[in-house]
Amino acid sequence: MSEKIPVTVLTGYLGAGKTTLLNRILSEDHGHKFAVIVNEFGEIGIDNELIVGADEEVFEMNNGCICCTVRGDLIRIIEGLMRRKGKFDAIIVETTGLADPAPVAQTFFVDQDVQDQARLDAVVTVADAKWLADRLRDAPEAKNQIAFADVIILNKMDLVTPEELREVEARIRAINPYAKLHKTSRCAVPLDAVLGRNAFDLDRILEIEPSFLEVDDHDHHGHDHGHDHGHDHGLKHYHDEEMQSFSFLIDGEVDPARFMPWINLIVQREGPSILRSKGILAFKGEDKRFVFQGVHMILDGDLQREWRPDEKRVSKIVFIGRNLKEDDLRSGFMACAANPAQ
Amino acid sequence: MQPEFDEVYDTSLVGAVSQFNAGAQVVAAGFLANKPVLALADGNILLIEPNQRVAAHPDGAVLLAHIDDQRVVTGGDDGRVVVTRADASTLEIGNEKGRWIDALTVRNDGAIAWSAGKHVRARDAKGVVKSHEAPSTVRGLGFLPKGYRLAMSHYNGVSLWFPNTEGAPDVLKWPGSHLDLTISPDGLFCVTSMQENALHGWRISDKKDMRMTGYPGKTRSFSFSHDGQWLATSGADACVVWPFQTKDGPMGKPPRECGVRPFKVSQVAFHPEAPVIAIGYEDGWILLCRLADGAELLVRAGLGEGEELSPRNRPSVSALAWDKGGHKLLFGLETGEAGILTLG
């Protein structure tokens, strides 16, 4: 559909298995030609024609937006890769274990030249089933990476007991219940679990998250590897003290004249603590669905397809972030309802 | 933006243009020993008369190129800096071991400078190479006209380095990410393009700042007029030309705009003797514009009405160069299309 080059961002804390996943992607017989942007040369065991070393130079933009940072090196590398147009059909960016995914993602929203040629496909985070729980306690970077992810590869499940696995899954879900979660050993996931996700495509937000408008579905089916424990166990419900996700539902329409200023104000004010935001809204008097997504202070939203006759016109928004003020967000959103009596 | 833009030009030079296909994306154009030369993204140097391809970067892509009467200097994604001569000989003068060459500049005495990441090398005319490490990746380089001194743009400013002295470079500060760099021919001003679609300039003597804003896109092509009085820039849907006649540069003076079209300017090149600018656009159009009255002459028509720019259809003009006397204009596009205008 899109002629732009898709870009997949691979994150994950040190030792989680990013390089294993990368090698797996590159060595599979998939017919794709990748350009790979890495931080450490030499770790990749596969001959790939286009491997580019990056410096992870994070720059602030002079646009009055304090959390608006971009990866300067990525802008430069994507520009340079276009000199080899036609030699590759997708780009994979591997970040360092300590990297914050936000500047990488923001680069694709902020830089027009990058936007003209490439699109962010998804942020894929590799997590270590054995050590993730510890890292979530002591490494803010690891928590960021989980919170930011569209796809989480919970790796090294062979090194933990089923109970431990359920425990770490619950920890992940406490932070980010929306990402696709795959439990694996040695990053053995089908490629289409990682590539071609269209996670940042406004038109695809619902297709990716079929449970998006259903409350309280933790989506732990569809990736059984013989270790599916069934739904009767359920997941423990953890509460992460620092990083949370909240979703708010209005069982009906919102008034765009109230919602737009409110959401803009929220991301302006709370942007530094909001990692990701998404929403699908029924605007009063509008046949089409309004869909938006955001990274910190940057919002991208548009009217999308029409509501189908069999769809209920409801409005839902999701925030993932650090120390979010749940009550403020809820009351602010609820005040945007077109018919507050609903 | 004019909804009904009249793309009919009274005077057309299209008949004086010979067009050809260079076979690969054109990175730079120029005249080597008075003969037209293109540097191509596929690693080749195309000597157009006679038609000869020189593999300056076999298996690599040319990221940057500088072409003058004596030589072609290219920096590739193979980490190599290569000099190609009119006799088709090549010489590797730098090798950064696979790191991309991010910036390149040449001075008419034969000195060459390049950067790979933070590492900057200056190679004087005798071939002596000096190295410097900048605070962050260097995106633009330019020699000052007087003395052996190199300006380098990086995050939060520009460093001015004397390669032959031990002292720390002098720094021109301005927050943000600075991209390409140009020095006025009199050496008084240094101008950079920035990530935020703006230019920043400094009067080098007292480091006085100059902000030049209002661009809808990044400026990636600059050209000073032969007398140094004007700076033509890309990045807007007109060629924006800043006045540099006085010691205050463009401060407090509005820029001129010429060649207004509904598409962005991608390349600019001032005529070497006259106040005329060659302007290339992202949709493949090329105009000559006379600064005095804004008169426009058509050199090349690009995308027609109803055709849209897309990632697969970007016939952006990527190289423009005049010969020494200003009789010929050589151009090239991202699509590999190219041509020479010969003025009567």
Side-chain angles (χ1 to χ4, degrees):
Chain A
M1 174 200 68
S2 171
E3 299 169 323
K4 297 180 182 182
I5 307 269
V7 181
T8 302
V9 178
L10 279 189
T11 73
Y13 205 69
L14 306 164
K18 278 194 308 284
T19 308
T20 309
L21 179 60
L22 186 54
N23 281 332
R24 187 172 279 275
I25 294 170
L26 295 181
S27 61
E28 259 185 50
D29 184 17
H30 40 54
H32 286 296
K33 284 173 288 179
F34 294 105
V36 185
I37 301 171
V38 295
N39 277 277
E40 295 291 330
F41 275 118
E43 284 186 16
I44 297 180
I46 308 295
D47 275 342
N48 192 69
E49 197 182 340
L50 270 181
I51 297 182
V52 189
D55 302 304
E56 294 212 342
E57 289 186 322
V58 175
F59 293 154
E60 283 171 33
M61 295 287 293
N62 290 331
N63 56 5
C65 162
I66 52 166
C67 49
C68 190
T69 50
V70 297
R71 282 270 305 268
D73 57 325
L74 208 53
I75 296 172
R76 186 174 71 246
I77 289 169
I78 288 173
E79 180 187 333
L81 279 175
M82 291 307 152
R83 295 283 155 84
R84 288 181 181 253
K85 233 178 178 172
K87 302 261 170 57
F88 61 96
D89 46 32
I91 298 173
I92 300 175
V93 182
E94 185 195 28
T95 66
T96 61
L98 299 176
D100 176 2
V104 183
Q106 288 174 161
T107 302
F108 292 86
F109 290 97
V110 166
D111 191 273
Q112 187 61 48
D113 298 338
V114 168
Q115 236 173 58
D116 286 345
Q117 307 261 9
R119 62 174 179 83
L120 184 57
D121 186 69
V123 175
V124 177
T125 298
V126 185
D128 182 326
K130 191 161 178 62
W131 297 110
L132 180 68
D134 289 353
R135 295 295 81 80
L136 291 179
R137 272 194 290 275
D138 63 18
E141 298 88 355
K143 201 176 267 185
N144 262 345
Q145 293 163 358
I146 294 292
F148 215 92
D150 300 294
V151 176
I152 296 170
I153 310 294
L154 185 53
N155 193 33
K156 305 192 185 183
M157 61 178 262
D158 51 328
L159 302 182
V160 297
T161 64
E163 290 70 36
E164 288 171 322
L165 190 63
R166 238 173 304 153
E167 171 85 15
V168 71
E169 189 181 348
R171 295 273 177 199
I172 289 172
R173 287 312 190 191
I175 296 168
N176 184 344
Y178 301 100
K180 286 281 178 200
L181 180 70
H182 299 271
K183 289 168 271 188
T184 69
S185 302
R186 288 168 293 281
C187 289
V189 284
L191 275 191
D192 61 5
V194 178
L195 303 172
R197 304 302 306 168
N198 287 296
F200 286 85
D201 183 346
L202 286 178
D203 292 337
R204 294 286 298 272
I205 280 180
L206 256 195
E207 293 175 44
I208 293 163
E209 297 174 306
S211 58
F212 192 66
L213 289 179
E214 293 166 24
V215 184
D216 210 26
D217 180 342
H218 285 284
D219 178 44
H220 52 141
H221 44 253
H223 41 77
D224 53 334
H225 299 270
H227 281 248
D228 205 317
H229 339 288
H231 289 215
D232 50 335
H233 292 269
L235 277 177
K236 287 187 203 169
H237 283 265
Y238 279 108
H239 174 72
D240 192 282
E241 287 301 320
E242 189 197 10
M243 192 84 80
Q244 310 91 13
S245 70
F246 295 115
S247 66
F248 307 111
L249 177 81
I250 289 175
D251 191 15
E253 298 174 332
V254 301
D255 179 357
R258 279 197 290 251
F259 175 76
M260 297 308 280
W262 174 75
I263 189 72
N264 280 312
L265 178 73
I266 287 296
V267 297
Q268 283 299 310
R269 209 176 59 198
E270 309 291 334
S273 32
I274 300 171
L275 271 69
R276 299 277 298 261
S277 57
K278 285 181 188 181
I280 297 175
L281 301 136
F283 279 168
K284 191 179 178 172
E286 174 58 61
D287 292 338
K288 291 179 174 166
R289 312 186 320 164
F290 180 80
V291 179
F292 78 92
Q293 60 176 327
V295 173
H296 288 305
M297 287 187 184
I298 301 168
L299 279 183
D300 176 26
D302 210 348
L303 286 171
Q304 196 209 18
R305 65 164 172 82
E306 289 185 4
W307 289 91
R308 285 193 297 262
D310 59 330
E311 276 176 323
K312 201 171 169 209
R313 287 174 65 98
V314 295
S315 302
K316 187 175 179 181
I317 57 171
V318 170
F319 296 99
I320 299 178
R322 195 168 256 120
N323 303 318
L324 297 178
K325 298 172 189 135
E326 183 181 5
D327 293 342
D328 281 11
L329 291 173
R330 174 180 290 113
S331 59
F333 180 56
M334 292 303 162
C336 299
N339 180 3
Q342 265 178 334
Chain B
M1 222 39 94
Q2 291 108 316
E4 287 175 50
F5 197 86
D6 183 11
E7 295 264 37
V8 177
Y9 294 89
D10 296 337
T11 319
S12 167
L13 298 169
V14 173
V17 173
S18 67
Q19 300 219 44
F20 57 96
N21 198 305
Q25 182 182 339
V26 178
V27 176
F31 288 83
L32 173 64
N34 289 320
K35 288 183 174 164
V37 173
L38 297 174
L40 305 178
D42 68 1
N44 284 303
I45 308 298
L46 178 60
L47 308 175
I48 298 161
E49 297 169 11
N51 190 345
Q52 184 179 6
R53 273 168 211 275
V54 182
H57 298 265
D59 310 319
V62 172
L63 296 174
L64 307 144
H66 175 95
I67 301 168
D68 63 26
D69 202 45
Q70 303 297 312
R71 56 211 174 307
V72 178
V73 186
T74 46
D77 68 1
D78 53 2
R80 297 165 65 240
V81 181
V82 176
V83 173
T84 303
R85 301 276 179 183
D87 62 3
S89 65
T90 61
L91 175 69
E92 177 183 300
I93 57 158
N95 191 330
E96 300 294 338
K97 300 191 172 58
R99 290 195 66 95
W100 289 12
I101 306 301
D102 295 317
L104 179 74
T105 192
V106 171
R107 177 178 150 117
N108 45 20
D109 69 351
I112 299 169
W114 66 90
S115 68
K118 299 174 188 174
H119 302 285
V120 180
R121 320 268 186 213
R123 183 187 190 270
D124 67 18
K126 296 192 191 91
V128 179
V129 177
K130 297 286 171 75
S131 299
H132 173 74
E133 189 171 319
S136 65
T137 292
V138 169
R139 298 292 306 275
L141 289 169
F143 280 110
L144 274 71
K146 294 189 194 87
Y148 185 44
R149 196 177 196 194
L150 182 66
M152 57 188 86
S153 60
H154 44 72
Y155 191 43
N156 290 339
V158 166
S159 295
L160 302 169
W161 175 47
F162 287 107
N164 286 334
T165 61
E166 294 295 317
D170 204 7
V171 180
L172 305 170
K173 288 181 193 156
W174 188 258
S177 177
H178 298 264
L179 311 176
D180 302 321
L181 175 151
T182 187
I183 304 283
S184 63
D186 56 14
L188 293 182
F189 301 100
C190 171
V191 178
T192 61
S193 59
M194 298 195 67
Q195 174 66 30
E196 291 86 5
N197 300 343
L199 301 185
H200 196 81
W202 293 268
R203 184 161 66 195
I204 294 171
S205 59
D206 59 359
K207 302 186 182 178
K208 197 172 171 197
D209 290 297
M210 304 180 286
R211 296 181 67 190
M212 291 161 264
T213 56
Y215 289 86
K218 283 183 211 156
T219 295
R220 299 312 303 270
S221 174
F222 313 107
S223 179
F224 269 105
S225 59
H226 70 285
D227 55 8
Q229 299 216 334
W230 300 94
L231 175 65
T233 62
S234 73
D237 48 9
C239 174
V240 176
V241 191
W242 296 93
F244 277 79
Q245 291 95 338
T246 69
K247 63 177 173 43
D248 290 328
M251 292 329 293
K253 304 182 194 85
R256 299 257 188 107
E257 287 189 12
C258 55
V260 181
R261 289 192 60 245
F263 287 90
K264 263 187 235 152
V265 172
S266 55
Q267 284 288 320
V268 292
F270 249 112
H271 188 278
E273 291 179 357
V276 167
I277 312 164
I279 307 171
Y281 297 81
E282 62 182 348
D283 64 341
W285 287 65
I286 300 174
L287 301 180
L288 291 190
C289 232
R290 188 162 58 202
L291 190 58
D293 57 2
E296 296 168 353
L297 301 172
L298 178 65
V299 177
R300 184 184 190 277
L303 289 187
E305 213 174 312
E307 287 184 279
E308 285 191 13
L309 285 179
S310 75
R312 293 274 160 84
N313 191 18
R314 287 168 52 94
S316 190
V317 176
S318 51
L320 279 177
W322 292 95
D323 71 347
K324 219 186 301 173
H327 304 297
K328 288 182 175 175
L329 175 72
L330 175 63
F331 61 83
L333 278 63
E334 282 191 15
T335 54
E337 292 161 276
I340 303 174
L341 164 71
T342 305
L343 295 173

